[in-house]
Amino acid sequence: MIALAEHTLDELSEAVQKLGEQKYRAKQLMRHIAAYDSFDEYTDIPKSLIAKLKECYLDRALTEQTRVTASDGAVRYLFRTADGDLIESVFLPHDYGNSVCVSCQVGCGMGCTFCASGHYGLQRNLTAGEILSQVLYIARDKRSEGGVNKIVMMGSGEPLANYDNTLKFLRLVNAEYGLNIGMRSISLSTCGLPDGIRALYRDGITCTLSLSLHAATDEKRKKIMRIAEKYTVKQLIAALAEYFRVTGRRVVIEYILIGGFNDGESDASALKNLLKGLCCHVNLIPLNKTEYCDLNAPSKKRAYAFCEKLNGLGVSASVRRSMGSDVAGACGQLKNRTFEQAEHTE
Ligand code: SAH
């Protein structure tokens, strides 16, 4: 059985017609799907249709297992999928609106040394409906706080290694009949798969694209990211330049600051040379600690000095404010396991 949230409006229209119903029912159903309603709440739908739907569909793809709230208001949710897998999402309240960080895979196969999500490898891809349902659930849960205005695909998993489901999710969440979240309010982060980057713009996606670069040379990048064995930084920058040329969207370079590894003067110069001519902004992320590696963040002072050095070289850069780290909900800390902090469950 699949969840109703797997369907586009066209697919749902076809499905209801196959069940012997009028096409317009699909639009009614879509409103319930977008609101993350349960079948009991489908009050404007005939009981006979609900009975037929129950035979082949789930009303909801995810159930909440537990949650923890950080001191900064970020909420880390643990969900269970219909087949029992655990996935995490993070709600991030900001002055300018609320974001949700979604996971796109159970685990991750990319094996970056600094990231907890890949520690157990890849278990499976999430479906488009499972990715979407993280947003739908949280939008419903936080309705009284303004719902969800922004999406970041920066949870567990590599979106471009689960391309078809990622593409369908982006289309569903952007659709007028869905949550209608604009492309400018969606960010997708990738460890750098050039073919996937090109596929995005060819498929008409114009969201903010972030590249997890983290080192300016192949030699250094290979020390912390397995994917660097496959693609060079030059290939990645070329794909980003194409993305900008086609979409007109400035790209984001994510750069984790690792103390004594990539935060020196020569690293700033190498980064400047690599990014020359690319319309981008550099987001510096002081490393969040995970239990699986002994790398450390630089001091705050050193992080800001690196940022100033880049700015001085004419590179647009800022240090990212990290949210949710006291509940292990910050970048690189999600790992699809039950929370050790279960006692904090609300
Ligand atoms: N697979 C995608 C998206 C997930 S991670 C990607 O690699 O981009 C989202 C961001 O958090 C990435 O930039 C990732 O490199 C970063 N990240 C991972 N581990 C981190 C850590 N320990 N501290 C800070 N950032 C981390």
Side-chain angles (χ1 to χ4, degrees), residues 108 114-116 153-155 157-159 189-191 212 214 254 256 285-290 320 331-332:
C108 180
F114 44 80
C115 183
M153 291 197 81
M154 296 191 185
E158 169 49 48
S189 178
T190 175
C191 67
S212 294
H214 308 326
E254 292 168 294
I256 298 180
I285 318 167
L287 181 87
N288 292 310
K289 208 60 200 143
T290 74
R320 186 194 277 175
C331 297

Side-chain angles (χ1 to χ4, degrees), residues 5 7 13 16 54 74-75 78 81 86 99 154 156 168 172 187 197 224 230 256 267 274 291 304 306 313 338 340:
H7 281 326
S13 301
V16 294
K54 279 184 177 169
V75 184
L78 183 74
T81 64
L86 295 172
S99 306
M154 296 191 185
S156 287
K168 188 168 187 183
L172 285 171
S187 289
I197 292 172
I224 51 170
K230 211 159 167 193
I256 298 180
D267 297 298
L274 178 68
E291 68 221 72
Y304 280 94
F306 189 81
L313 291 169
T338 42
E340 304 76 16

Side-chain angles (χ1 to χ4, degrees), residues 169-183 186:
F169 159 69
L170 292 172
R171 288 178 170 161
L172 285 171
V173 84
N174 176 241
E176 266 176 41
Y177 58 77
L179 290 183
N180 200 7
I181 295 181
M183 280 290 158
I186 303 175

